């Protein structure tokens, strides 16, 4: 079962650290902070920030909640636990758990979703984490590259912001900016180290194996220091997108 703990905003990673240090590993299978990617537009440039999805909340997965609760009382960084009337910390319902498991399957980070509009501000095509929850959108700020969806969490309805990218974003280089660093930063957020040869060349057929363009395939047009420019046939035309070399795999005939 999934459970939720509450702490002071900005101290979520500290709480995870204390739990990992104090709580026996057999009492839980995972403990983490949820993040999401958000695009910020600066001087007509798309910059991806990684931010906390639920500031002040930490998720923990356990099959022994009573024993876990007793251990958690020893954790000094925790200000309080979300509790029901019996002072048991609150479990996430099955429907909510399915939502989080689906959204956070990529290292506990909700990656960007691609959205194409029909010219009237309505969604024509969507792919990525938002695809299954497009009907739950209650507000959209496409110029600011995010939408807000409404979902049930811990017995009440809450709103959550999810980052999106548009067609004009994938026609230019997207770089990473601020990252609210998890305890273990995912490899694709580390600054790439220069390499003499990463094995790719113009004309190679490749598939994207992770990131916002996962499962897309195309041909390398240009090779850069730590990224490649891939040409893909999308929506009836050839389009260019910039992809980190760590996010692609060469397709061999």
């Amino acid at each position: 079962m999934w459970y939720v703990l509450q702490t002071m905003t900005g101290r979520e990673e500290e709480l995870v650290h204390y739990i990992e240090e104090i709580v026996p590993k057999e009492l839980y299978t995972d403990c983490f902070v949820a993040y999401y990617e958000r695009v910020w537009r600066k001087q007509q440039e798309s910059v991806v920030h990684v931010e906390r999805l639920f500031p002040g909340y930490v998720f923990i997965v356990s099959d022994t909640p009573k024993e876990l609760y007793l251990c958690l009382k020893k954790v000094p960084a925790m200000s309080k636990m979300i509790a029901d009337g019996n002072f048991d910390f609150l479990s996430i319902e099955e429907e909510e758990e399915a939502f989080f498991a689906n959204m956070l399957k990529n290292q506990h980070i909700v990656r960007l979703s691609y959205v194409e509009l029909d010219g009237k501000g309505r969604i024509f095509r969507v792919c990525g984490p938002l695809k299954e929850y497009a009907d739950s959108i209650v507000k959209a700020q496409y110029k600011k590259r995010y939408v807000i969806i409404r979902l049930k969490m811990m017995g009440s309805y809450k709103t959550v912001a999810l980052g999106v990218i548009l067609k004009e974003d994938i026609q230019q280089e997207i770089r990473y900016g601020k990252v609210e660093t998890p305890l273990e930063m995912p490899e694709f957020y580390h600054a790439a180290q220069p390499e003499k040869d990463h094995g790719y060349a113009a004309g190679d057929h490749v598939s994207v194996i992770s990131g916002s363009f996962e499962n897309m395939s195309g041909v390398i047009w240009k090779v850069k220091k730590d990224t490649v420019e891939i040409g893909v046939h999308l929506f009836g035309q050839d389009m260019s997108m910039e992809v980190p070399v760590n996010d692609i795999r060469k397709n061999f005939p």
Side-chain angles (χ1 to χ4, degrees):
M1 295 289 294
W2 288 39
Y3 298 85
V4 181
L5 312 176
Q6 188 176 32
T7 188
M8 295 176 61
T9 299
R11 299 185 65 181
E12 299 91 347
E13 291 86 1
E14 182 181 352
L15 175 56
V16 173
H17 173 74
Y18 275 109
I19 289 175
E20 291 179 343
E21 289 290 322
I22 296 175
V23 178
K25 301 299 182 183
E26 61 269 20
L27 296 184
Y28 69 99
T29 57
D30 200 2
C31 182
F32 61 91
V33 181
Y35 298 88
Y36 79 108
E37 292 184 339
R38 166 83 183 276
V39 173
W40 290 84
R41 295 284 292 173
K42 298 180 180 179
Q43 299 177 343
Q44 298 184 337
E45 183 182 26
S46 299
V47 181
V48 179
H49 288 191
V50 182
E51 304 175 4
R52 297 175 185 87
L53 183 63
F54 297 104
Y57 292 96
V58 169
F59 292 83
I60 191 165
V61 183
S62 173
D63 292 327
T64 56
K66 292 184 179 180
E67 294 85 349
L68 176 62
Y69 175 81
L70 294 176
C71 282
L72 288 175
K73 291 174 67 176
K74 304 175 183 178
V75 179
M78 182 168 52
S79 60
K80 66 176 180 177
M81 290 187 294
I82 298 176
D84 61 19
N86 296 321
F87 299 99
D88 293 328
F89 58 102
L90 191 64
S91 63
I92 295 177
E93 296 181 6
E94 184 175 347
E95 180 182 351
E96 300 166 353
E97 181 178 331
F99 169 84
F100 290 116
N102 183 45
M103 282 287 190
L104 301 172
K105 60 186 177 183
N106 194 329
Q107 294 182 283
H108 308 138
I109 300 173
V110 183
R111 306 301 296 273
L112 294 169
S113 297
Y114 174 81
V115 172
E116 185 177 2
L117 305 177
D118 63 0
K120 298 181 180 179
R122 295 173 299 194
I123 293 179
F124 172 69
R125 183 178 285 107
V126 59
C127 60
L130 182 61
K131 184 175 182 179
E132 296 183 28
Y133 304 97
D135 292 340
S136 301
I137 296 175
V138 294
K139 184 178 180 180
Q141 293 283 352
Y142 295 118
K143 289 185 177 180
K144 296 183 178 180
R145 302 303 195 267
Y146 72 90
V147 299
I148 294 178
I149 65 172
R150 185 171 181 264
L151 61 98
K152 189 176 181 182
M153 179 179 174
M154 294 168 285
S156 63
Y157 283 94
K158 299 182 182 296
T159 56
V160 181
L162 299 179
V164 301
I165 52 175
L166 307 181
K167 183 183 296 185
E168 53 262 42
D169 296 313
I170 66 174
Q171 293 174 331
Q172 62 177 263
E173 181 177 356
I174 300 178
R175 64 182 179 87
Y176 286 100
K178 175 184 176 183
V179 177
E180 293 182 344
T181 311
L183 289 174
E184 294 183 4
M185 186 185 296
E187 191 64 31
F188 45 78
Y189 294 130
H190 284 293
Q193 298 299 317
E195 298 180 4
K196 293 183 178 180
D197 182 13
H198 46 54
Y200 295 105
D204 286 345
H205 291 260
V206 297
S207 295
V208 183
I209 58 175
S210 63
S212 302
F213 309 112
E214 186 174 357
N215 297 324
M216 289 187 179
S217 299
V219 178
I220 294 179
W221 286 358
K222 184 184 299 184
V223 177
K224 300 183 180 180
K225 182 174 66 174
D226 50 16
T227 64
V228 294
E229 184 178 327
I230 300 177
V232 297
H233 192 72
L234 192 63
F235 315 130
Q237 60 181 318
D238 290 328
M239 304 179 66
S240 171
M241 61 186 186
E242 195 92 2
V243 182
V245 293
N246 293 331
D247 284 1
I248 62 173
R249 177 184 59 201
K250 187 180 296 187
N251 296 332
F252 294 96

